[in-house]
């Protein structure tokens, strides 16, 4: 079993290395992160006291945006950065896309300010990450039926003191999550297609804490990748 897990991880790593990586900008930084963080920086966050280490473009299959994201994350941690700012995502052709992120080294005060800018008490449901298809997934929120399409997301308000029930499927095979609205509760990001999870468990880095989530057909997405997807996917009415 352990050999199988190692083999799968090797395959994942080899695939990520096959992406085309280009440094659009590169700066030397004297201070480097000792922690393997990769925190999404909101556009409102003041980065005056942060160090821009690089701007990277990775090109690869547009039906696997998570792989593009992970490829840049791998490079970011090699050069000692701990945060990133979304710059752009473009479709190169029918099969390929390019993701551009700027990589920063930030101190704790920047992370504290950035946390204030992250959406609170919201739920985001993402469709399949293959933007070249029109796959539809049905689900319910507090008993109301919805559907989500590939490459799109839906946003739901989570009121403080109330509970939101998300259900996918029915009967014995169905899956349900209950989410409570609390003051300053960070937004949560869900998918039904395994976006953002490549192992049985996944560490969610949110700047000052780490949460382990077990993978299943109803997945909780890393908030940093989820916030990135809000800039790549389109909102669905």
């Amino acid at each position: 079993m352990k050999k199988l897990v190692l083999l799968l991880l090797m395959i994942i790593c080899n695939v990520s290395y096959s992406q085309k990586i280009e440094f659009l900008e590169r700066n030397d930084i004297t201070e480097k992160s000792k922690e393997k963080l990769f925190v999404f920086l909101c556009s409102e966050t003041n980065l005056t006291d942060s160090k821009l280490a690089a701007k990277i473009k990775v090109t690869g299959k547009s039906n696997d945006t998570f792989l593009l994201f992970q490829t840049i994350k791998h490079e970011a941690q090699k050069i000692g950065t701990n945060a990133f700012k979304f710059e752009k995502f473009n479709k190169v052709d029918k099969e390929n896309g390019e993701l551009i992120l700027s990589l920063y080294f930030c101190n704790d005060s920047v992370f504290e300010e950035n946390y204030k800018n992250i959406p609170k008490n919201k739920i985001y449901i993402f469709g399949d990450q293959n933007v070249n298809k029109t796959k539809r997934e049905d689900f319910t929120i507090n008993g109301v039926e919805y559907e989500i399409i590939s490459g799109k997301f839906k946003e739901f308000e989570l009121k403080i003191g109330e509970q939101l029930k998300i259900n996918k499927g029915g009967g014995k095979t169905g899956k349900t999550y209950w989410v409570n609205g609390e003051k300053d509760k960070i937004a949560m990001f869900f998918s039904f297609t395994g976006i953002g999870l490549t192992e049985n468990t996944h560490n969610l880095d949110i700047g000052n804490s780490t949460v382990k989530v077990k993978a299943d057909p109803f997945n909780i997405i890393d908030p940093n990748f989820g916030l990135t997807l809000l800039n790549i996917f389109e909102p669905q009415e």
Side-chain angles (χ1 to χ4, degrees):
M1 186 62 165
K2 290 182 179 179
K3 289 183 179 179
L4 177 60
V5 171
L6 288 173
L7 178 60
L8 289 173
L9 291 177
M10 287 174 66
I11 292 172
I12 291 166
C13 291
N14 288 334
V15 172
S16 67
Y17 293 147
S18 69
Q19 309 302 296
K20 180 182 177 182
I21 303 170
E22 181 181 353
F23 279 79
L24 304 179
E25 186 175 342
R26 185 73 181 263
N27 303 304
D28 292 330
I29 55 173
T30 55
E31 193 171 5
K32 298 185 178 182
S33 177
K34 296 179 181 179
E35 300 178 273
K36 291 189 177 298
L37 295 177
F38 196 52
V39 177
F40 180 94
L41 295 171
C42 300
S43 58
E44 305 90 342
T45 301
N46 186 347
L47 300 177
T48 303
D49 296 328
S50 301
K51 306 298 182 182
L52 173 62
K55 181 180 290 188
I56 296 182
K57 177 174 73 175
V58 60
T59 305
K61 297 294 184 181
S62 58
N63 65 355
D64 195 346
T65 49
F66 181 65
L67 184 54
L68 300 179
F69 178 82
Q70 284 293 97
T71 300
I72 298 182
K73 179 179 178 179
H74 178 76
E75 293 297 319
Q77 294 179 341
K78 284 200 300 186
I79 62 178
T81 58
N82 56 10
F84 69 96
K85 184 177 180 181
F86 176 86
E87 296 293 347
K88 190 181 295 185
F89 176 80
N90 294 319
K91 289 185 181 179
V92 178
D93 51 41
K94 290 183 178 180
E95 294 185 354
N96 298 292
E98 57 183 25
L99 175 64
I100 303 175
L101 303 179
S102 290
L103 311 180
Y104 288 84
F105 175 82
C106 301
N107 56 36
D108 290 344
S109 63
V110 174
F111 285 139
E112 290 174 5
E113 178 190 345
N114 187 66
Y115 186 83
K116 296 176 183 178
N117 296 324
I118 295 174
K120 306 295 192 305
N121 279 298
K122 291 183 182 294
I123 298 294
Y124 295 94
I125 307 290
F126 291 95
D128 190 271
Q129 66 174 334
N130 189 343
V131 296
N132 302 318
K133 294 185 178 181
T134 56
K135 181 178 179 180
R136 298 173 183 270
E137 294 279 351
D138 298 320
F139 65 99
T140 63
I141 298 284
N142 289 345
V144 180
E145 295 183 357
Y146 297 93
E147 73 169 13
I148 190 68
I149 303 173
S150 303
K152 296 184 182 295
F153 69 87
K154 291 187 74 69
E155 176 185 308
F156 298 89
E157 293 286 339
L158 183 59
K159 296 182 180 180
I160 297 175
E162 294 187 4
Q163 189 176 71
L164 188 145
K165 178 183 177 181
I166 310 170
N167 179 263
K168 175 70 173 97
K172 295 181 179 180
T173 60
K175 193 77 174 181
T176 301
Y177 274 86
W178 289 266
V179 186
N180 295 318
E182 303 169 2
K183 184 179 179 180
D184 293 329
K185 185 183 186 72
I186 191 171
M188 297 188 72
F189 306 85
F190 294 89
S191 81
F192 308 118
T193 56
I195 300 176
L197 292 174
T198 58
E199 301 176 52
N200 288 330
T201 58
H202 189 70
N203 290 331
L204 309 187
D205 297 321
I206 58 175
N208 54 8
S209 63
T210 301
V211 179
K212 275 198 171 183
V213 177
K214 186 176 181 180
D216 55 39
F218 193 160
N219 292 320
I220 301 176
I221 299 173
D222 181 334
N224 301 295
F225 181 55
L227 291 165
T228 303
L229 280 182
L230 292 181
N231 292 277
I232 298 176
F233 282 20
E234 297 178 355
Q236 180 179 320
E237 298 297 329

